[in-house]
Amino acid sequence: MKRFLSIAVLIALLAMVLPASMVVAAPAAQGEDYTVQADDWLSKLADKFYGDSNAYWAIMAATNKANAEDASYAKIENPDAIEVGAKLSIPPNDEAVAFMADFDPTAGDVSVLFASGAKGQLLVGNWWTSGGEFAGVNEVYKIYRAENPDVELIHAGIAGGAGVNFQGANLTKLIAGDPYDTFQLHAGLEAELYTPETYLRPVDDILAEAGVLDVMPEDLKALLKIRGNTYTVPLNIHRGNVMWTNTRVLEKAGVAVPATFDEFFAACETLQAQGVVPLGMGTTDGFELGHTFEVALAGTTGFETNQGLWNGSVSWTDPVVAQALENFGKMLDCTNEDRGSTGWVGGIDLVINDQAAFNIMGDWAYGEIIAKGALDYVTWNSPPGNQNLFFLVSDGFAIPKDAPNPENAREFVRIMTRKDAQENFNMNKGSICARTDCDYGVFPEDRRAYFQSAADDFASSRIVPMVAHGSGAIPAWQQQFYQIVNQFSSDRDVAAAQAAFVLAAEDAGFPQ
Ligand code: GAL
């Protein structure tokens, strides 16, 4: 009693010295249920109950656990989207504090936010967080969830185009023995980042059982083999080199679609004279400058020389590399000045929003064009000099040796090999199937033409692996390449960039 009194006195004293708002924000000592009101959002509630707006994760986890026992509680998949009237479980303060002490949302540590199904969880690590990207992968999730209602599938997305943030987080989890059940990676040399013999399970048996090898393009099969084994189940084939074009902007400016560098620079001048941004770009994800330079490089050198630069048969001292850097520099002069304040999605958005004439990006940008309703006026062309070149970018999924739910992961990648799953995924994602028998004629009418053109071009073009998207060079070389291109984009020192390319190629094992 005495103790209770002293606590009551203490509270009364605090009430006198603390501002009123802090007293109202009394921590939830007991835990309670709460019904979402208009103008509530989770971090605001976390602040109200715990004085810590970050602790909304604890509310999400507790509510999802409660939902597994009692469906009157909400199921929260996205903490940014809670509905008015939803019933939440607010855990006691000490539980919330303990939860937050162990939880790092940036490390892909999200399985603790969800309950487990009768057959466990399926934690899917990936970087598909933009509108078009999520729309694509969600189609695979829908199939998986319908066929596996006893598994709790968790989309563990880490934002950052081309996997720039995901890859490091994923590697850390793998090495720590705490991997995702399955994770996204590019077909090709990117698998080396994960020391596949040590950390990954070969998937050759899954591909064979699914009967998919007969319909998988040969170029892709070759790219997937690492010292005789395959570690990646592919889902798609993206074309990395597309020049997205706003026809309304071009028409208004009286500019024709350029095919060569000279035509591109002439169009750039005309557009700039009218105050129009010629080439919309965003660079904050970190891969975009390297990506655009790769496209300019191959467009300048042509197929054979470009291939030679990456396989060591052509030296980076070649004058054509200097010419490519000059072309790239001039292209940068055609971009929006604030390109350093947005990412690849912001770059294509400039074209979608009539603020720029062109954007050079892979056809994942088509996913944004679809999701944002711009199919009527945004079309596709080859970037300068890229006619007959198809930059091959393929996404797939791997299964770690230590996957906590390996059976669930096997089923997930097995579904991914299927024609129906690939068609549903790709018609939203902007890529073609990783199988040759998909029927683009059944895709929604307004987008059939693009997919058919990509499939035709894939069959008839020279196939170029892409360094910025894991297929063209080992990860260490890719990183050096990015650094050199980023440096060049600010100092425009052609000789220094070329010298640095030489050193990077030598580091990668190709004496110049
Ligand atoms: C690529 C990936 C695409 C798309 C893009 C932007 O590397 O293959 O699926 O997601 O990055 O994030």
Side-chain angles (χ1 to χ4, degrees):
M1 183 68 178
K2 210 172 153 201
R3 189 149 154 247
F4 172 74
L5 268 184
S6 60
I7 290 172
V9 170
L10 186 67
I11 290 173
L13 281 173
L14 280 174
M16 281 159 62
V17 286
L18 292 176
S21 63
M22 287 188 72
V23 177
V24 175
Q30 303 292 322
E32 58 190 90
D33 292 341
Y34 181 84
T35 305
V36 175
Q37 310 293 309
D39 289 334
D40 273 345
W41 55 93
L42 270 194
S43 57
K44 184 172 151 190
L45 294 176
D47 189 37
K48 173 174 162 180
F49 287 110
Y50 311 117
D52 173 5
S53 56
N54 274 327
Y56 64 89
W57 297 109
I59 300 177
M60 177 173 172
T63 303
N64 281 340
K65 297 256 148 72
N67 166 274
E69 309 282 304
D70 171 355
S72 72
Y73 286 94
K75 170 138 186 217
I76 306 173
E77 302 211 22
N78 175 357
D80 290 335
I82 50 166
E83 284 176 12
V84 173
K87 185 169 148 193
L88 307 180
S89 166
I90 309 290
N93 190 60
D94 52 351
E95 238 179 83
V97 169
F99 182 88
M100 290 307 292
D102 281 345
F103 181 64
D104 178 2
T106 61
D109 235 6
V110 293
S111 62
V112 291
L113 294 173
F114 294 86
S116 190
K119 293 199 176 148
Q121 292 187 333
L122 174 70
L123 188 61
V124 184
N126 67 90
W127 65 84
W128 282 332
T129 55
S130 81
E133 290 177 328
F134 185 74
V137 73
N138 198 33
E139 290 299 320
V140 184
Y141 294 166
K142 281 185 202 162
I143 298 177
Y144 186 91
R145 286 182 170 133
E147 296 178 6
N148 300 276
D150 289 340
V151 177
E152 177 72 36
L153 183 156
I154 302 164
H155 169 77
I158 297 186
V164 290
N165 301 322
F166 174 76
Q167 286 150 3
N170 184 35
L171 184 59
T172 306
K173 278 172 79 66
L174 259 188
I175 292 173
D178 167 37
Y180 296 102
D181 289 309
T182 179
F183 68 85
Q184 180 188 358
L185 78 172
H186 290 113
L189 291 161
E190 187 171 302
E192 299 288 8
L193 180 64
Y194 303 120
T195 327
E197 283 87 350
T198 309
Y199 291 114
L200 306 183
R201 297 171 184 231
V203 294
D204 301 83
D205 56 335
I206 299 178
L207 296 173
E209 272 164 35
V212 76
L213 291 167
D214 295 340
V215 289
M216 202 186 277
E218 291 303 321
D219 284 305
L220 183 57
K221 265 194 250 176
L223 204 56
L224 290 170
K225 275 265 180 260
I226 303 220
R227 293 176 285 280
N229 287 318
T230 305
Y231 296 94
T232 307
V233 175
L235 182 56
N236 68 347
I237 294 173
H238 270 302
R239 165 158 50 181
N241 53 332
V242 185
M243 183 168 76
W244 303 101
T245 304
N246 183 314
T247 54
R248 301 204 286 227
V249 170
L250 278 202
E251 211 167 290
K252 197 161 157 219
V255 168
V257 176
T260 63
F261 282 103
D262 285 347
E263 286 172 13
F264 183 85
F265 299 135
C268 169
E269 217 176 297
T270 311
L271 288 161
Q272 277 178 333
Q274 298 181 33
V276 178
V277 172
L279 184 60
M281 193 183 216
T283 62
T284 53
D285 286 300
F287 77 94
E288 300 93 332
L289 287 166
H291 175 114
T292 309
F293 176 63
E294 250 187 289
V295 174
L297 179 67
T300 308
T301 64
F303 176 76
E304 268 88 17
T305 303
N306 181 69
Q307 205 184 29
L309 289 168
W310 296 106
N311 69 21
S313 63
V314 175
S315 166
W316 287 82
T317 57
D318 195 297
V320 77
V321 175
Q323 198 191 329
L325 284 161
E326 301 280 4
N327 281 339
F328 176 59
K330 283 202 233 163
M331 286 169 91
L332 290 179
D333 292 338
C334 299
T335 62
N336 41 304
E337 274 172 19
D338 64 351
R339 65 169 191 259
S341 63
T342 188
W344 74 268
V345 177
I348 188 63
D349 279 352
L350 288 173
V351 172
I352 292 174
N353 298 332
D354 295 322
Q355 290 164 300
F358 309 112
N359 168 247
I360 293 180
M361 191 38 67
D363 54 14
W364 42 94
Y366 199 58
E368 300 305 306
I369 294 165
I370 296 168
K372 291 164 187 163
L375 289 167
D376 283 354
Y377 57 94
V378 181
T379 60
W380 61 94
N381 298 99
S382 287
N386 275 246
Q387 295 76 11
N388 295 324
L389 300 179
F390 189 111
F391 274 75
L392 169 56
V393 180
S394 170
D395 298 296
F397 281 77
I399 306 178
K401 274 191 186 155
D402 291 344
N405 300 280
E407 261 321 304
N408 298 346
R410 278 175 80 88
E411 183 53 22
F412 183 70
V413 297
R414 226 177 284 161
I415 287 176
M416 220 172 256
T417 64
R418 274 164 33 186
K419 188 162 171 276
D420 60 337
Q422 291 199 10
E423 286 180 347
N424 289 355
F425 170 84
N426 286 303
M427 71 173 69
N428 291 289
K429 186 67 168 62
S431 33
I432 55 172
C433 294
R435 4 186 341 146
T436 49
D437 59 351
C438 278
D439 182 1
Y440 302 106
V442 306
F443 280 26
E445 205 173 340
D446 55 0
R447 54 191 104 150
R448 267 178 217 165
Y450 178 71
F451 290 98
Q452 197 55 61
S453 86
D456 292 347
D457 289 351
F458 180 65
S460 64
S461 305
R462 307 303 301 263
I463 303 301
V464 188
M466 195 159 195
V467 175
H469 303 277
S471 47
I474 52 167
W477 198 4
Q478 180 208 51
Q479 290 307 310
Q480 288 196 52
F481 175 72
Y482 279 165
Q483 273 168 22
I484 298 164
V485 176
N486 289 354
Q487 178 68 29
F488 174 80
S489 75
S490 54
D491 67 19
R492 302 296 175 89
D493 188 335
V494 172
Q498 225 177 333
F501 281 141
V502 168
L503 293 180
E506 283 176 348
D507 276 356
F510 298 107
Q512 299 286 292

